[in-house]
Amino acid sequence: MQNIAPLNWRRFPERYLLRGSYCENCKQAFFPPRAICPNCRRKGKLVSMEMPRTGKIISYTKVYSPPEGFRNEAPYYLAIIELENGARILSQIVDSEPEKIKIGAKVRKVFRRIGEPDKYGTITYGYKFKVIE
Ligand code: ZN
């Protein structure tokens, strides 16, 4: 547990606040945060930025055979979401009626448990998204 918790906490701002990067040179937002702007490389000027909480689904899939740690949740929906600032993020869609999960649907960030507790009993929390009317 001692080895696990610090890692989770180190990633906490990214998972909880949805903190990404914004390049002041090309005005693009990125998530997860980048060390180097993929557009500008050395000329890029990245700053830390909290991502918007809402966006829309641009692609999604239903997962029937999830990886270890997510078996209890199957089947579930995984979507690529374009946030209000244009950054794209891969996330699970929860608390939404299946017929409302479609391309173009508006979604909002929620805070949920991620997967099942690991062998040390550590529970990880993070962002997921739900469809809003
Ligand atoms: Zn840039």
Side-chain angles (χ1 to χ4, degrees):
M1 182 125 176
Q2 263 177 334
N3 294 329
I4 305 293
L7 179 67
N8 281 338
W9 280 104
R10 193 147 43 80
R11 298 199 60 188
F12 191 75
E14 176 184 323
R15 287 196 173 138
Y16 182 68
L17 296 173
L18 221 58
R19 194 162 276 285
S21 305
Y22 175 75
C23 177
E24 292 182 333
N25 192 41
C26 66
K27 316 288 183 210
Q28 262 209 42
F30 304 99
F31 188 91
R34 304 284 179 96
I36 296 171
C37 175
N39 301 328
C40 314
R41 302 283 165 180
R42 284 171 177 208
K43 281 185 284 182
K45 192 162 180 264
L46 290 175
V47 294
S48 181
M49 177 188 266
E50 193 176 332
M51 297 287 113
R53 284 135 203 264
T54 55
K56 63 177 189 222
I57 294 173
I58 59 170
S59 174
Y60 69 92
T61 183
K62 194 172 183 179
V63 178
Y64 292 95
S65 307
E68 194 72 50
F70 293 87
R71 300 259 151 84
N72 290 348
E73 299 183 38
Y76 59 85
Y77 291 87
L78 207 56
I80 296 173
I81 293 155
E82 187 175 281
L83 299 172
E84 304 288 352
N85 64 2
R88 289 181 176 190
I89 177 171
L90 179 70
S91 173
Q92 195 176 334
I93 303 291
V94 292
D95 303 344
S96 307
E97 289 168 38
E99 61 267 25
K100 290 186 177 163
I101 300 174
K102 55 191 174 200
I103 290 166
K106 290 198 86 176
V107 291
R108 180 167 54 82
K109 188 187 81 166
V110 292
F111 197 55
R112 290 287 185 276
R113 198 175 96 176
I114 305 270
E116 295 150 24
D118 65 16
K119 60 182 173 176
Y120 304 101
T122 308
I123 297 170
T124 304
Y125 289 86
Y127 59 82
K128 292 183 181 182
F129 281 79
K130 68 174 284 187
V131 176
I132 50 176
E133 304 296 322

